[in-house]
Amino acid sequence: HITLHSQLSAGPFTDYSFISSLIFNTGAALVGGVLGGGFLVFFVNEKLRGKPYWITVLFVAISFILIISFIAILVSLIIAPLSTGKPLADPETRKAFNNSLFNSVHLKNIIVWSIVVALTQLTLQVNDKFGQGILWNLIRGRYSIPREETRIFMFVDLISSTNIAEKLGN
């Protein structure tokens, strides 16, 4: 809202309203968080844990495109009849639906949130595959220069550990 009223912008478009923008973005974020976040965290991260990294990233990207498309259509289906006051079958409402669905402001929001979710998923996937903090250490360049580290190993002998290992197998 502040950016639209700054010198960096040509100003808001004629139909812009802070309240409607707030409601739209809050509703889309809520639906996206519940559907997208729940699906990605509880399904993708659990089911694809043992798969190669590229499969997980590809599946997340495709899932995200489908979720964003669903949210955009759902929000446009709600906004179009409210803006015209007519049923969805009316040609004027269908035109409002198309305008809402392909509005440049909404497309910009989709691109921005795509980047946010992509970076979040990249971080979650790297943390899950390689351990927490590895991505940050990689970005900082900690692994660029080899260095000697002091490590402690602990060996524990369990009662009947051979029997347990034989039962577990390879």
Side-chain angles (χ1 to χ4, degrees):
H1 180 75
I2 293 169
T3 304
L4 287 174
H5 292 283
S6 70
Q7 294 178 349
L8 302 173
S9 172
F13 59 96
T14 55
D15 295 338
Y16 176 77
S17 162
F18 175 73
I19 297 299
S20 65
S21 179
L22 180 68
I23 292 170
F24 170 79
N25 288 311
T26 303
L30 180 66
V31 172
V34 170
L35 289 179
F39 177 74
L40 292 174
V41 169
F42 296 116
F43 181 76
V44 173
N45 291 345
E46 293 299 320
K47 296 294 183 187
L48 300 177
R49 179 162 283 158
K51 303 289 184 200
Y53 188 65
W54 70 270
I55 291 175
T56 305
V57 171
L58 180 66
F59 192 81
V60 166
I62 291 169
S63 300
F64 181 71
I65 290 169
L66 293 174
I67 291 167
I68 285 293
S69 300
F70 174 75
I71 292 170
I73 291 169
L74 180 68
V75 170
S76 294
L77 282 171
I78 293 169
I79 288 177
L82 289 176
S83 66
T84 61
K86 298 177 181 175
L88 192 59
D90 188 67
E92 185 180 338
T93 306
R94 287 185 185 259
K95 184 177 179 185
F97 170 77
N98 287 335
N99 289 341
S100 175
L101 189 60
F102 299 108
N103 187 338
S104 62
V105 173
H106 302 315
L107 292 176
K108 182 223 24 129
N109 286 341
I110 289 170
I111 291 170
V112 167
W113 283 108
S114 297
I115 293 168
V116 168
V117 169
L119 291 175
T120 303
Q121 277 301 306
L122 174 71
T123 305
L124 288 173
Q125 293 299 320
V126 169
N127 282 343
D128 190 48
K129 298 284 184 189
F130 305 115
Q132 201 160 7
I134 298 296
L135 179 63
W136 180 243
N137 289 335
L138 192 64
I139 291 171
R140 284 190 342 204
R142 180 173 181 181
Y143 305 119
S144 298
I145 301 169
R147 65 182 77 158
E148 190 174 313
E149 291 185 358
T150 304
R151 298 286 179 179
I152 297 173
F153 290 95
M154 183 173 97
F155 295 96
V156 178
D157 186 22
L158 298 175
I159 298 173
S160 302
S161 61
T162 305
N163 292 337
I164 295 171
E166 287 173 353
K167 287 178 186 175
L168 290 175
N170 293 334

